[in-house]
Amino acid sequence: MARYYENTTIFNFSWDQVARGYWKRYPNPQSTHVLSEDTWSRQVKDGCLYTKRLLTKTNRVPKWGERFFSAKSVKIIEESIVDPEKKVLVTYTRNLGYTKVMSVVERVEYRPSGPGQTVAKRSAWIDSQVFGFSRAIRAFGVDRFRKNCNQMVSGFNHVLASMFPRAGAPPPVAHALKEMRGAAAAARATASALSGVQRS
Amino acid sequence: MNSIGEECTELKKKYDDCFNSWFSERFLKGDHDDSMCASIFKVYQECVKNAMKQQSIDFKEVDKDVLGTDSEFKVPPSDNSS
């Protein structure tokens, strides 16, 4: 039996922005494990866009897993359907090869949720058929998947923020500068107060 | 982002640029004519297919459709009764 895992994420960007950003997700600071990305097929059918992409990623396994999973990289097939009328983007990814050792299937559905917000509902099925080790491999798979989720979300948010900088919200650098100036002013005030103490 | 074949990365970038502007400016606005990037896509595809052949990737497995078919995994019904 495959282990099932699900979670929900809110992106503070409109559905159109998320859909546009989806194709530009890589590279980002959190995606150093993604080695390549290619479009294998793409067509418009009944008003929906069907895409299949091939990704290669580095394969990070613990020492004990190397005997089952020695490959340095894994290939991943990503299918997606964009329905611009209903505003639904569904993605479905699976690993190519090594599926008996560990198969990871992920389905994500992006839908609008409130103004300027998009909800991503993520489901994952993780399975292994290695005799005597399937339980341990599944547990490892779920754990790694859970950790990767956070990276995936923050990487995607990084791309979205650079594609669609918010009017009103100061860019991070300006914000940091303001904070530093504030801290410097406070330090100067403290210093002058201290020197006042010494003089008296 | 790189292509799986080093020699295809330039073509991939050209195609991705074309696709991204088509997607934002046409497709999401209701224009479903996808001929805009067709010629660059064809050249890029040939390059990728050659690169995949060299890495002996199983085309049959790649071609298999899962999303939207009966083989797609279904989300288990949420258990509200308990």
Side-chain angles (χ1 to χ4, degrees), chain A residues 4 6 15-16 19-20 23-24 26-27 34-44 47-49 52 54 56 75 77 79-82 84-85 90-92 94 96 105 107 121 123 125, chain B residues 1-5 8 12 15-16 19-20 22-24 27-28 30 32-34 41 44-45 48-49 52 55 57-59 61-68 71-76 78:
Chain A
Y4 177 71
E6 68 177 22
W15 183 84
D16 279 53
R20 285 163 65 184
W23 312 111
K24 296 189 178 185
Y26 306 128
V34 181
L35 304 171
S36 76
E37 170 206 63
D38 282 292
T39 304
W40 168 260
S41 64
R42 186 167 261 154
Q43 58 167 326
V44 178
C48 295
L49 179 69
K52 193 181 279 178
L54 176 73
T56 56
K75 293 175 182 68
I77 303 294
E79 292 171 80
S80 62
I81 304 175
V82 185
E85 288 293 316
V90 184
T91 68
Y92 195 91
R94 58 190 165 92
L96 189 66
V105 171
R107 186 183 194 280
K121 202 186 158 209
S123 307
W125 296 263
Chain B
M1 204 61 231
N2 291 330
S3 165
I4 194 163
C8 314
K12 170 192 153 53
Y15 168 70
D16 281 351
F19 168 76
N20 282 313
W22 172 80
F23 186 78
S24 302
F27 183 70
L28 286 183
H32 297 164
D33 178 5
D34 62 356
F41 187 57
Y44 162 53
Q45 277 264 292
V48 171
K49 281 190 180 154
M52 285 170 67
Q55 300 190 27
I57 293 173
D58 186 356
F59 280 36
E61 261 304 299
V62 181
D63 264 329
K64 200 172 89 181
D65 291 326
V66 180
L67 179 61
S71 341
E72 182 184 332
F73 285 177
K74 293 286 176 289
V75 175
S78 54

XYZ file of all heavy atoms in Angstrom, chain A residues 4 6 15-16 19-20 23-24 26-27 34-44 47-49 52 54 56 75 77 79-82 84-85 90-92 94 96 105 107 121 123 125, chain B residues 1-5 8 12 15-16 19-20 22-24 27-28 30 32-34 41 44-45 48-49 52 55 57-59 61-68 71-76 78:
765
model
N 0.079 7.838 1.669
C -0.547 9.035 1.106
C -0.226 10.238 1.977
O -0.183 10.152 3.197
C -2.058 8.832 1.011
C -2.795 10.044 0.509
C -2.698 10.436 -0.818
C -3.567 10.821 1.372
C -3.360 11.561 -1.275
C -4.231 11.943 0.915
C -4.118 12.306 -0.407
O -4.774 13.424 -0.867
N -0.837 14.693 2.098
C -1.405 15.866 1.426
C -1.173 17.135 2.240
O -0.992 17.071 3.465
C -2.907 15.683 1.141
C -3.783 15.647 2.370
C -5.275 15.543 2.027
O -5.633 15.106 0.929
O -6.075 15.907 2.894
N -4.367 33.782 -9.555
C -4.223 32.520 -10.280
C -3.479 32.723 -11.600
O -2.623 31.923 -11.963
C -5.607 31.892 -10.537
C -5.478 30.572 -11.218
C -5.251 29.360 -10.629
C -5.503 30.336 -12.631
N -5.148 28.385 -11.590
C -5.300 28.959 -12.834
C -5.683 31.159 -13.754
C -5.271 28.368 -14.092
C -5.641 30.577 -15.015
C -5.447 29.198 -15.173
N -3.790 33.814 -12.308
C -3.087 34.098 -13.565
C -1.581 34.235 -13.337
O -0.775 33.751 -14.130
C -3.617 35.379 -14.219
C -4.904 35.130 -14.984
O -5.849 34.578 -14.379
O -4.957 35.475 -16.178
N -0.125 30.789 -12.617
C -0.048 29.995 -13.845
C 1.114 30.463 -14.723
O 1.840 29.650 -15.296
C -1.372 30.080 -14.605
N 1.309 31.780 -14.807
C 2.426 32.303 -15.620
C 3.762 31.969 -14.975
O 4.739 31.665 -15.660
C 2.283 33.816 -15.790
C 1.191 34.190 -16.779
C 0.793 35.630 -16.627
N 1.888 36.539 -16.970
C 1.829 37.859 -16.840
N 0.726 38.418 -16.380
N 2.844 38.610 -17.161
N 5.690 28.132 -15.204
C 6.648 27.744 -16.256
C 8.025 28.333 -16.026
O 8.969 27.977 -16.721
C 6.115 28.176 -17.621
C 4.704 27.777 -17.825
C 3.615 28.597 -17.899
C 4.183 26.438 -17.971
N 2.474 27.858 -18.068
C 2.790 26.529 -18.118
C 4.784 25.169 -17.997
C 1.972 25.423 -18.279
C 3.974 24.065 -18.154
C 2.587 24.193 -18.291
N 8.125 29.277 -15.093
C 9.427 29.918 -14.850
C 9.954 29.575 -13.471
O 10.835 30.252 -12.944
C 9.280 31.436 -14.977
C 8.904 31.890 -16.373
C 8.997 33.410 -16.427
C 8.681 33.933 -17.814
N 8.895 35.375 -17.874
N 11.878 27.301 -12.368
C 13.306 26.952 -12.293
C 14.099 27.824 -13.236
O 13.632 28.089 -14.330
C 13.511 25.478 -12.654
C 12.677 24.530 -11.850
C 11.889 23.572 -12.492
C 12.649 24.589 -10.457
C 11.117 22.689 -11.763
C 11.873 23.703 -9.725
C 11.108 22.755 -10.381
O 10.335 21.887 -9.659
N 15.309 28.247 -12.903
C 15.931 28.001 -11.596
C 15.447 28.997 -10.538
O 14.962 30.077 -10.863
C 17.423 28.242 -11.890
C 17.434 29.247 -12.996
C 16.178 28.998 -13.796
N 17.579 20.688 -9.285
C 16.989 20.504 -10.611
C 18.067 20.746 -11.656
O 18.659 21.817 -11.721
C 15.787 21.448 -10.835
C 15.174 21.222 -12.209
C 14.740 21.247 -9.758
N 18.343 19.707 -12.454
C 19.448 19.794 -13.402
C 18.994 20.221 -14.787
O 19.693 20.966 -15.468
C 20.146 18.427 -13.503
C 20.652 17.835 -12.183
C 21.125 16.403 -12.397
C 21.787 18.691 -11.635
N 17.856 19.723 -15.210
C 17.387 20.099 -16.540
C 15.867 20.054 -16.594
O 15.218 19.435 -15.749
C 17.969 19.169 -17.603
O 17.312 17.925 -17.577
N 15.342 20.727 -17.608
C 13.891 20.836 -17.774
C 13.613 20.986 -19.259
O 14.188 21.854 -19.905
C 13.434 22.082 -16.997
C 12.019 22.525 -17.217
C 11.868 24.019 -16.952
O 12.507 24.822 -17.671
O 11.132 24.385 -16.042
N 12.784 20.107 -19.805
C 12.473 20.181 -21.224
C 10.992 19.942 -21.476
O 10.359 19.174 -20.761
C 13.268 19.115 -22.002
C 14.715 19.524 -22.216
O 14.941 20.480 -22.980
O 15.608 18.899 -21.612
N 10.486 20.596 -22.498
C 9.106 20.351 -22.906
C 9.108 19.209 -23.905
O 9.802 19.265 -24.919
C 8.499 21.610 -23.538
O 8.623 22.684 -22.606
C 7.029 21.409 -23.858
N 8.355 18.170 -23.572
C 8.310 16.982 -24.437
C 7.139 17.089 -25.422
O 7.277 16.787 -26.590
C 8.184 15.742 -23.544
C 7.855 14.486 -24.259
C 6.622 13.905 -24.365
C 8.754 13.634 -24.977
N 6.704 12.753 -25.091
C 7.996 12.562 -25.483
C 10.121 13.672 -25.235
C 8.567 11.538 -26.236
C 10.685 12.655 -25.985
C 9.914 11.602 -26.477
N 5.999 17.524 -24.939
C 4.864 17.709 -25.841
C 3.955 18.808 -25.304
O 3.949 19.078 -24.095
C 4.067 16.417 -25.990
O 3.496 16.057 -24.761
N 3.226 19.420 -26.218
C 2.342 20.496 -25.785
C 1.263 20.701 -26.836
O 1.546 20.756 -28.027
C 3.160 21.782 -25.620
C 2.376 22.933 -25.026
C 3.315 24.039 -24.601
N 3.598 24.004 -23.182
C 4.716 24.492 -22.640
N 5.661 24.984 -23.409
N 4.883 24.467 -21.336
N 0.011 20.763 -26.388
C -1.084 21.009 -27.335
C -2.284 21.638 -26.643
O -2.470 21.471 -25.447
C -1.497 19.706 -28.023
C -1.935 18.625 -27.057
C -2.644 17.459 -27.749
O -3.348 17.650 -28.742
N -2.462 16.250 -27.221
N -3.065 22.362 -27.457
C -4.309 22.926 -26.940
C -5.433 22.009 -27.400
O -5.518 21.662 -28.577
C -4.547 24.360 -27.471
C -5.871 24.912 -26.948
C -3.407 25.280 -27.080
N -9.831 23.912 -25.515
C -9.582 25.145 -24.768
C -8.613 24.998 -23.604
O -8.341 25.964 -22.896
N -8.098 23.774 -23.390
C -7.131 23.559 -22.304
C -5.749 23.293 -22.881
O -5.621 22.739 -23.972
C -7.543 22.369 -21.441
S -9.085 22.633 -20.558
N -4.734 23.689 -22.111
C -3.359 23.468 -22.551
C -2.805 22.223 -21.862
O -2.732 22.148 -20.640
C -2.488 24.681 -22.212
C -1.008 24.569 -22.600
C -0.833 24.593 -24.116
C -0.200 25.705 -21.968
N 3.556 18.165 -21.393
C 4.333 17.130 -20.717
C 5.792 17.560 -20.740
O 6.334 17.877 -21.790
C 4.161 15.788 -21.419
C 4.684 14.628 -20.587
C 4.521 13.309 -21.305
C 3.103 12.781 -21.171
N 2.941 11.516 -21.909
N 9.894 16.932 -19.192
C 10.842 15.983 -18.630
C 11.863 16.759 -17.805
O 12.504 17.679 -18.299
C 11.547 15.223 -19.763
C 12.649 14.259 -19.344
C 12.088 13.008 -18.688
C 13.494 13.855 -20.551
N 15.172 16.491 -14.951
C 16.128 15.626 -14.250
C 16.540 16.342 -12.975
O 16.730 17.558 -12.941
C 17.378 15.283 -15.096
O 18.001 16.481 -15.509
C 17.023 14.482 -16.322
N 14.926 10.911 -13.392
C 14.145 11.612 -14.402
C 12.695 11.638 -13.967
O 12.186 10.667 -13.412
C 14.304 10.904 -15.750
C 15.717 11.045 -16.254
C 16.006 10.297 -17.500
C 17.464 10.488 -17.875
N 18.370 9.818 -16.891
N 8.675 12.876 -14.998
C 7.714 13.306 -16.017
C 6.661 14.170 -15.333
O 6.080 13.770 -14.333
C 7.006 12.097 -16.666
C 8.013 11.135 -17.284
C 5.994 12.558 -17.715
C 8.757 11.694 -18.448
N 3.172 16.059 -16.097
C 2.051 16.363 -16.982
C 1.260 17.510 -16.364
O 1.169 17.603 -15.138
C 1.124 15.146 -17.109
C 1.739 13.975 -17.838
C 0.864 12.734 -17.729
O -0.119 12.631 -18.469
O 1.167 11.875 -16.886
N 0.683 18.350 -17.195
C -0.133 19.428 -16.637
C -1.266 19.799 -17.577
O -1.173 19.591 -18.786
C 0.723 20.659 -16.343
O 1.297 21.145 -17.536
N -2.336 20.286 -16.999
C -3.467 20.797 -17.774
C -3.822 22.176 -17.224
O -4.001 22.339 -16.021
C -4.709 19.872 -17.668
C -4.361 18.436 -18.089
C -5.853 20.421 -18.528
C -5.499 17.442 -17.911
N -3.855 23.154 -18.121
C -4.283 24.499 -17.726
C -5.650 24.758 -18.345
O -5.803 24.693 -19.556
C -3.307 25.590 -18.228
C -3.721 26.965 -17.703
C -1.877 25.276 -17.840
N -7.960 27.758 -18.682
C -7.999 29.204 -18.426
C -9.408 29.715 -18.139
O -9.562 30.771 -17.526
C -7.450 29.811 -19.722
C -7.710 28.797 -20.773
C -7.718 27.457 -20.100
N -10.443 28.971 -18.573
C -11.821 29.393 -18.314
C -12.185 29.168 -16.853
O -12.613 30.080 -16.159
C -12.790 28.573 -19.196
C -12.749 28.944 -20.668
C -13.280 30.345 -20.922
O -14.324 30.679 -20.335
O -12.639 31.088 -21.697
N -3.664 21.895 -13.101
C -3.376 20.630 -12.423
C -2.043 20.117 -12.918
O -1.779 20.106 -14.125
C -4.457 19.555 -12.711
C -4.180 18.294 -11.910
C -5.836 20.067 -12.397
N -1.187 19.714 -12.000
C 0.087 19.121 -12.403
C 0.183 17.728 -11.792
O -0.347 17.474 -10.704
C 1.295 19.960 -11.929
O 1.376 19.892 -10.511
C 1.166 21.410 -12.352
N 0.814 16.834 -12.516
C 0.912 15.441 -12.083
C 2.317 14.951 -12.415
O 2.692 14.914 -13.584
C -0.144 14.628 -12.848
C -0.425 13.263 -12.286
C -1.418 13.070 -11.341
C 0.287 12.147 -12.722
C -1.706 11.816 -10.829
C 0.016 10.888 -12.216
C -0.984 10.727 -11.269
O -1.268 9.482 -10.762
N 5.592 12.141 -11.870
C 5.987 10.776 -11.470
C 7.422 10.560 -11.891
O 7.901 11.165 -12.856
C 5.070 9.737 -12.125
C 5.077 9.810 -13.638
C 3.990 8.951 -14.279
N 3.789 9.307 -15.676
C 4.411 8.720 -16.703
N 5.263 7.747 -16.504
N 4.181 9.124 -17.943
N 10.518 8.443 -13.486
C 10.675 7.556 -14.636
C 11.775 6.569 -14.260
O 12.890 6.963 -13.963
C 11.095 8.406 -15.834
C 11.120 7.771 -17.208
C 9.729 7.395 -17.648
C 11.719 8.753 -18.212
N 4.469 9.868 -6.713
C 3.505 10.502 -7.604
C 2.953 11.712 -6.866
O 2.558 11.612 -5.704
C 2.365 9.530 -7.979
C 1.259 10.257 -8.725
C 2.893 8.383 -8.818
N 0.335 15.130 -7.183
C -0.695 15.839 -7.942
C -0.954 17.166 -7.236
O -1.160 17.187 -6.019
C -1.978 15.011 -7.954
C -3.072 15.571 -8.814
C -4.330 14.694 -8.679
N -5.306 14.985 -9.708
C -6.149 16.019 -9.657
N -6.125 16.848 -8.636
N -7.017 16.233 -10.637
N -3.497 22.653 -3.706
C -3.774 21.443 -2.941
C -2.883 20.331 -3.473
O -2.954 19.976 -4.645
C -5.249 21.059 -3.081
C -5.703 20.193 -1.944
C -7.102 19.670 -2.115
C -7.229 18.422 -1.243
N -8.188 17.469 -1.760
N -1.286 16.494 -3.305
C -1.443 15.111 -2.854
C -0.245 14.326 -3.332
O 0.231 14.547 -4.445
C -2.685 14.470 -3.479
O -3.815 15.262 -3.259
N 1.598 10.258 -3.389
C 1.552 8.822 -3.103
C 2.979 8.295 -3.211
O 3.625 8.461 -4.256
C 0.677 8.103 -4.119
C -0.771 8.497 -4.088
C -1.782 7.848 -3.444
C -1.388 9.619 -4.745
N -2.970 8.489 -3.651
C -2.762 9.571 -4.440
C -0.900 10.657 -5.547
C -3.668 10.532 -4.931
C -1.786 11.611 -6.025
C -3.146 11.549 -5.717
N 17.256 27.847 -17.228
C 17.330 26.417 -16.934
C 17.936 25.665 -18.117
O 17.681 26.015 -19.254
C 15.889 25.925 -16.687
C 15.804 24.686 -15.834
S 16.486 24.895 -14.207
C 17.566 23.499 -14.122
N 18.689 24.617 -17.832
C 19.331 23.848 -18.895
C 18.401 22.823 -19.514
O 17.463 22.366 -18.889
C 20.546 23.105 -18.334
C 21.657 24.054 -17.953
O 21.807 25.113 -18.551
N 22.412 23.669 -16.957
N 18.752 22.449 -20.731
C 18.084 21.334 -21.379
C 18.845 20.063 -21.008
O 19.995 20.122 -20.557
C 18.104 21.538 -22.892
O 17.775 20.336 -23.553
N 18.215 18.926 -21.208
C 18.880 17.649 -20.930
C 20.069 17.451 -21.870
O 21.054 16.806 -21.524
C 17.859 16.480 -21.026
C 18.437 15.210 -20.409
C 17.390 16.244 -22.455
C 17.409 14.158 -20.088
N 19.991 18.030 -23.054
C 21.118 18.014 -23.988
C 21.750 19.398 -23.999
O 21.064 20.372 -24.288
N 21.071 21.675 -26.743
C 19.689 22.139 -26.968
C 19.324 23.348 -26.103
O 18.231 23.914 -26.261
C 18.692 21.024 -26.683
S 19.105 19.422 -27.389
N 16.116 25.763 -26.398
C 15.121 25.702 -25.318
C 14.798 27.108 -24.831
O 13.639 27.452 -24.651
C 15.645 24.851 -24.161
C 14.776 24.937 -22.920
C 15.440 24.339 -21.708
C 14.960 24.953 -20.413
N 13.516 24.974 -20.221
N 12.663 28.873 -27.335
C 11.301 28.353 -27.313
C 10.565 28.815 -26.058
O 9.418 29.265 -26.129
C 11.288 26.811 -27.403
C 9.920 26.288 -27.098
C 8.865 26.495 -27.980
C 9.654 25.649 -25.885
C 7.576 26.090 -27.668
C 8.377 25.234 -25.560
C 7.337 25.455 -26.458
O 6.063 25.074 -26.131
N 11.205 28.704 -24.894
C 10.554 29.098 -23.631
C 10.125 30.564 -23.660
O 9.038 30.905 -23.200
C 11.495 28.863 -22.441
C 11.531 27.397 -22.015
O 10.706 26.606 -22.515
O 12.386 27.039 -21.182
N 7.093 30.720 -25.831
C 5.943 30.128 -25.139
C 5.419 31.042 -24.035
O 4.212 31.251 -23.920
C 6.305 28.761 -24.545
C 5.249 28.275 -23.590
C 4.046 27.759 -24.065
C 5.435 28.380 -22.216
C 3.047 27.350 -23.186
C 4.433 27.978 -21.335
C 3.244 27.467 -21.820
N 6.328 31.575 -23.221
C 5.888 32.395 -22.092
C 5.120 33.635 -22.534
O 4.135 34.010 -21.899
C 7.071 32.767 -21.200
C 7.482 31.608 -20.310
O 6.649 30.964 -19.688
N 8.773 31.304 -20.279
N 3.477 33.858 -25.406
C 2.208 33.344 -25.959
C 1.231 33.032 -24.827
O 0.058 33.396 -24.876
C 2.476 32.072 -26.782
C 1.215 31.378 -27.220
C 0.414 31.715 -28.280
C 0.586 30.248 -26.581
N -0.666 30.862 -28.341
C -0.584 29.953 -27.321
C 0.905 29.463 -25.481
C -1.441 28.908 -26.985
C 0.065 28.418 -25.140
C -1.098 28.150 -25.882
N 1.734 32.365 -23.795
C 0.876 31.945 -22.679
C 0.241 33.143 -21.974
O -0.962 33.155 -21.713
C 1.708 31.114 -21.699
C 0.902 30.507 -20.582
C 0.136 29.375 -20.808
C 0.923 31.053 -19.307
C -0.609 28.797 -19.784
C 0.182 30.488 -18.283
C -0.589 29.363 -18.519
N 1.066 34.163 -21.678
C 0.561 35.332 -20.943
C -0.321 36.217 -21.808
O -1.384 36.659 -21.378
C 1.720 36.198 -20.443
O 2.559 35.442 -19.630
N -2.834 32.981 -24.726
C -3.626 31.864 -24.215
C -4.518 32.255 -23.029
O -5.708 31.965 -23.023
C -2.722 30.694 -23.832
C -3.489 29.492 -23.362
C -4.255 28.743 -24.249
C -3.472 29.113 -22.025
C -4.985 27.638 -23.815
C -4.203 28.018 -21.586
C -4.957 27.285 -22.485
N -3.935 32.931 -22.038
C -4.724 33.294 -20.854
C -5.790 34.334 -21.188
O -6.715 34.549 -20.420
C -3.819 33.811 -19.731
C -2.987 32.761 -18.991
C -2.198 33.408 -17.857
C -3.836 31.621 -18.433
N -7.660 34.087 -23.861
C -8.715 33.443 -24.647
C -8.355 33.107 -26.081
O -9.172 32.548 -26.809
N -6.650 30.714 -28.418
C -6.139 29.352 -28.310
C -5.320 28.889 -29.510
O -4.953 27.725 -29.599
C -7.294 28.381 -28.045
C -7.980 28.660 -26.740
N -9.208 28.171 -26.425
C -7.594 29.399 -25.667
C -9.565 28.593 -25.214
N -8.597 29.344 -24.741
N -5.054 29.796 -30.427
C -4.249 29.443 -31.593
C -2.782 29.312 -31.156
O -2.147 30.291 -30.765
C -4.400 30.540 -32.654
C -3.542 30.267 -33.883
O -2.909 29.192 -33.938
O -3.506 31.133 -34.779
N -2.261 28.090 -31.248
C -0.901 27.873 -30.722
C 0.164 27.783 -31.823
O 1.228 27.216 -31.607
C -0.860 26.631 -29.816
C -1.220 25.359 -30.575
O -1.575 25.454 -31.768
O -1.138 24.271 -29.972
N 9.461 25.294 -31.799
C 9.234 24.102 -30.988
C 9.708 22.853 -31.726
O 10.351 21.971 -31.141
C 7.749 23.967 -30.628
C 7.464 22.847 -29.663
C 8.084 22.802 -28.423
C 6.575 21.821 -29.986
C 7.839 21.767 -27.522
C 6.321 20.794 -29.085
C 6.949 20.755 -27.854
N 13.526 22.585 -31.631
C 13.929 22.284 -30.257
C 13.635 20.824 -29.911
O 14.465 20.116 -29.333
C 13.207 23.262 -29.324
C 13.140 22.884 -27.871
C 14.290 22.552 -27.148
C 11.922 22.868 -27.204
C 14.201 22.214 -25.807
C 11.832 22.528 -25.877
C 12.974 22.189 -25.173
O 12.883 21.848 -23.855
N 12.440 20.347 -30.306
C 12.037 18.962 -30.060
C 12.987 17.943 -30.663
O 13.350 16.967 -30.026
C 10.655 18.755 -30.693
C 9.557 19.217 -29.827
C 9.007 18.064 -29.034
O 8.398 17.168 -29.571
N 9.275 18.083 -27.753
N 16.040 17.726 -28.558
C 15.807 17.023 -27.285
C 15.666 15.522 -27.514
O 16.217 14.704 -26.766
C 14.550 17.575 -26.570
C 14.179 16.722 -25.366
C 14.789 19.003 -26.109
N 14.953 15.149 -28.558
C 14.753 13.718 -28.816
C 16.084 13.024 -29.093
O 16.305 11.903 -28.623
C 13.767 13.510 -29.961
C 12.363 13.712 -29.418
C 11.244 13.339 -30.318
C 9.946 13.620 -29.550
N 8.801 13.883 -30.383
N 17.877 12.630 -25.819
C 17.273 11.576 -25.009
C 17.650 10.195 -25.519
O 17.865 9.278 -24.734
C 15.757 11.747 -24.980
C 15.315 12.900 -24.082
S 13.578 13.302 -24.251
C 12.803 11.861 -23.580
N 20.901 9.215 -24.271
C 20.903 8.829 -22.855
C 19.995 7.625 -22.617
O 19.634 7.336 -21.477
C 20.455 10.014 -21.995
C 21.370 11.204 -22.164
C 21.089 12.296 -21.143
O 20.597 12.051 -20.049
N 21.424 13.524 -21.505
N 16.813 6.982 -22.931
C 15.584 7.171 -22.157
C 14.440 6.463 -22.893
O 14.352 6.533 -24.114
C 15.268 8.680 -21.985
C 16.345 9.310 -21.094
C 13.877 8.897 -21.386
C 16.275 10.807 -20.978
N 13.634 5.759 -22.122
C 12.538 4.976 -22.673
C 11.402 5.895 -23.148
O 10.624 6.412 -22.358
C 12.043 4.011 -21.590
C 10.990 3.052 -22.117
O 10.606 3.189 -23.299
O 10.566 2.170 -21.343
N 11.319 6.087 -24.467
C 10.313 6.994 -25.026
C 8.892 6.551 -24.695
O 8.011 7.368 -24.512
C 10.460 7.079 -26.558
C 11.561 7.999 -26.999
C 12.746 8.105 -26.280
C 11.422 8.766 -28.149
C 13.755 8.960 -26.687
C 12.431 9.632 -28.567
C 13.594 9.716 -27.837
N 7.736 5.073 -22.049
C 7.351 5.472 -20.691
C 7.045 6.973 -20.628
O 6.180 7.407 -19.898
C 8.485 5.132 -19.705
C 8.262 3.850 -18.949
C 6.944 3.836 -18.198
O 6.764 4.689 -17.320
O 6.103 2.970 -18.498
N 7.804 7.755 -21.411
C 7.589 9.202 -21.421
C 6.262 9.525 -22.101
O 5.508 10.387 -21.647
C 8.750 9.932 -22.137
C 8.524 11.435 -22.124
C 10.091 9.598 -21.493
N 5.969 8.795 -23.169
C 4.760 9.063 -23.940
C 3.479 8.722 -23.193
O 2.432 9.292 -23.462
C 4.798 8.275 -25.256
C 5.323 9.130 -26.398
O 5.097 10.353 -26.347
O 5.961 8.585 -27.315
N 3.589 7.780 -22.276
C 2.401 7.323 -21.549
C 1.708 8.498 -20.837
O 2.338 9.240 -20.099
C 2.825 6.261 -20.525
C 1.684 5.389 -20.053
C 2.198 4.249 -19.196
C 2.270 4.644 -17.752
N 2.783 3.599 -16.868
N 0.410 8.656 -21.079
C -0.358 9.696 -20.391
C -0.982 9.118 -19.135
O -1.511 8.010 -19.167
C -1.480 10.224 -21.292
C -0.931 11.016 -22.465
O 0.110 11.686 -22.279
O -1.521 10.956 -23.550
N -0.916 9.844 -18.062
C -1.548 9.397 -16.820
C -2.612 10.397 -16.376
O -3.747 10.030 -16.102
C -0.507 9.184 -15.690
C -1.198 8.713 -14.421
C 0.562 8.183 -16.116
N -2.226 11.678 -16.345
C -3.165 12.723 -15.908
C -4.396 12.740 -16.824
O -4.269 12.784 -18.040
C -2.467 14.089 -15.918
C -3.305 15.303 -15.521
C -3.841 15.201 -14.113
C -2.485 16.584 -15.674
N -5.562 12.696 -16.219
C -6.798 12.731 -16.989
C -7.204 11.374 -17.540
O -8.170 11.267 -18.286
N -5.600 5.727 -15.181
C -4.429 5.348 -14.369
C -4.061 6.409 -13.340
O -3.202 6.176 -12.498
C -3.205 5.090 -15.251
O -3.529 4.860 -16.569
N -4.693 7.569 -13.431
C -4.378 8.627 -12.471
C -4.779 8.210 -11.057
O -5.861 7.660 -10.855
C -5.151 9.897 -12.879
C -4.869 11.090 -11.999
C -5.725 12.316 -12.368
O -6.124 12.458 -13.540
O -5.980 13.112 -11.472
N -3.905 8.455 -10.085
C -4.243 8.147 -8.693
C -5.339 9.089 -8.224
O -5.323 10.265 -8.556
C -3.015 8.307 -7.784
C -2.025 7.186 -7.905
C -0.831 7.224 -7.190
C -2.266 6.082 -8.708
C 0.099 6.192 -7.281
C -1.353 5.045 -8.808
C -0.163 5.107 -8.097
N -6.253 8.533 -7.468
C -7.358 9.356 -6.981
C -7.119 9.746 -5.520
O -6.651 8.936 -4.725
C -8.677 8.598 -7.095
C -9.098 8.336 -8.548
C -9.612 9.601 -9.230
C -9.946 9.393 -10.695
N -8.802 9.209 -11.592
N -7.453 10.988 -5.221
C -7.338 11.476 -3.851
C -8.336 10.705 -2.986
O -9.511 10.629 -3.330
C -7.643 12.984 -3.802
C -7.649 13.507 -2.375
C -6.635 13.751 -4.647
N -7.872 10.094 -1.902
C -8.810 9.335 -1.064
C -9.859 10.261 -0.460
O -9.561 11.418 -0.157
C -7.912 8.724 0.019
C -6.646 9.500 -0.001
C -6.510 10.088 -1.372
N -11.961 12.305 2.003
C -11.595 12.746 3.350
C -12.582 12.139 4.336
O -13.778 12.048 4.072
C -11.594 14.263 3.445
O -12.827 14.765 3.012
